[in-house]
Amino acid sequence: MNPRGYLLESFSVAVKAANPAHIVPQHLPNPPAGRTLVVGAGKAAAAMAQAVENAWPAGAQIDGLVVTRYGHALPTHKIKVVEAGHPIPDENGIRASQEILAMAKSLTPDDFLLCLFSGGGSSLLSLPIEGISLQDSREVTNQLLRCGANIQEINTVRKHLSAIQGGRLAAVCKAPVLALIISDVTGDAATYIASGPCAPDPTTFTDALAILERYDLNVPPAVKRVLLAGKAGAVNETPKPGSPIFTRVENRIIANAHQSLVAAAEYFRGIGVTPLIMGDTVREPLNKSRGLLR
């Protein structure tokens, strides 16, 4: 095999290390006594849902809904797959998010909520908080993606304009929650991947306002009003670390960039080449490109 062939094969090995068909089944729990609801969002959400269905014990109850970007749906039997807008949210994403939130609210302590999140989930699972319209959400998202802010800053704002992100999905659910997460965010903090629907949020409305000021964004007036109301305590903050909500919630990273790099490195060692992993924290310097990836 020539050098190009080795490089292509190493890339294939790295992708396989993050393939939901291989990694999701390793993390599935035993079915509970009650209902298992599967929900999720991200570019890999349909593939993750398909992997769950294929590995779930025959006869065990399971249903749910995941939302992925247009062109990324895959065939499933019990878990509904919806396609929606990415990186700018649209009506399909809002309707799917409303349905997911309603389903999570219906669960009892005897049930189980299995969440599947991956990159792109922030725009796909977009349900604006009261006082924010879809157009407001689209405009502020577009500005954030173009201003030079990093993904942690972008998702800090998104969480505080969302009725489902920043831990709010877990907060409405009475059942135990397991979120299986494929990370595309440097640092792998669950609170920033898909804007952390089931993760405690250490950021605040004040932080979100500071980001808008830092990048001198001219956001819709409704966005500023909601964030200022939140800073003043008139809008509830996102659930924070230490909240009792999260005693029944686990956020588990099941794949990330480093894991794929390690897999590629092992391939090279196997063919007698000494690899050097230089890190997985490189960030795309072009704002437009980074926005399309998120």
Side-chain angles (χ1 to χ4, degrees):
M1 190 182 295
N2 59 34
R4 183 175 185 273
Y6 290 131
L7 289 171
L8 288 173
E9 183 62 23
S10 71
F11 178 76
S12 177
V13 168
V15 170
K16 185 177 180 180
N19 186 335
H22 296 286
I23 57 175
V24 168
Q26 303 171 36
H27 296 274
L28 294 179
N30 294 324
R35 172 190 180 195
T36 296
L37 175 67
V38 180
V39 302
K43 289 173 280 188
M48 296 174 80
Q50 189 181 68
V52 171
E53 283 196 352
N54 290 340
W56 203 247
Q61 183 182 4
I62 190 171
D63 66 313
L65 184 155
V66 300
V67 56
T68 191
R69 70 180 296 182
Y70 293 112
H72 283 57
L74 291 170
T76 53
H77 301 289
K78 298 180 179 179
I79 303 168
K80 180 180 175 183
V81 176
V82 173
E83 293 183 326
H86 173 276
I88 304 298
D90 68 3
E91 288 283 1
N92 275 3
I94 287 182
R95 285 193 291 267
S97 301
Q98 289 171 331
E99 191 171 349
I100 285 171
L101 200 63
M103 289 189 295
K105 287 179 179 178
S106 73
L107 296 179
T108 73
D110 292 328
D111 298 325
F112 180 66
L113 179 62
L114 177 62
C115 299
L116 310 171
F117 299 127
S118 67
S122 293
S123 60
L124 295 164
L125 195 69
S126 180
L127 182 59
I129 199 169
E130 185 176 352
I132 301 295
S133 69
L134 171 59
Q135 186 54 44
D136 293 332
S137 180
R138 289 172 61 87
E139 176 58 29
V140 72
T141 299
N142 187 55
Q143 289 191 35
L144 286 165
L145 293 175
R146 294 177 179 276
C147 73
N150 63 41
I151 192 61
Q152 288 82 2
E153 293 171 318
I154 292 170
N155 286 356
T156 293
V157 177
R158 280 167 155 169
K159 286 185 285 187
H160 287 89
L161 297 175
S162 172
I164 195 169
Q165 297 166 348
R168 296 186 190 274
L169 176 59
V172 304
C173 179
K174 296 182 177 67
V177 179
L178 172 62
L180 301 182
I181 302 167
I182 296 177
S183 172
D184 71 333
V185 172
T186 55
D188 299 327
T191 187
Y192 295 115
I193 305 163
S195 294
C198 295
D201 178 24
T203 69
T204 65
F205 282 103
T206 299
D207 294 326
L209 282 164
I211 290 162
L212 299 186
E213 293 172 7
R214 183 176 307 140
Y215 294 98
D216 194 25
L217 300 186
N218 183 25
V219 297
V223 169
K224 196 72 173 287
R225 280 198 302 270
V226 165
L227 294 179
L228 287 170
K231 180 179 179 180
V235 176
N236 289 337
E237 257 291 0
T238 49
K240 301 303 176 197
S243 167
I245 290 167
F246 299 106
T247 58
R248 52 181 169 74
V249 178
E250 179 185 356
N251 288 274
R252 186 185 303 172
I253 306 295
I254 63 171
N256 58 17
H258 184 73
Q259 186 173 312
S260 291
L261 289 172
V262 168
E266 289 299 319
Y267 164 77
F268 280 117
R269 287 191 188 96
I271 62 172
V273 176
T274 301
L276 174 62
I277 296 178
M278 300 183 70
D280 62 318
T281 58
V282 176
R283 295 179 179 177
E284 171 60 63
L286 298 176
N287 300 337
K288 184 176 181 181
S289 297
R290 181 170 66 234
L292 291 174
L293 288 171
R294 301 301 179 189

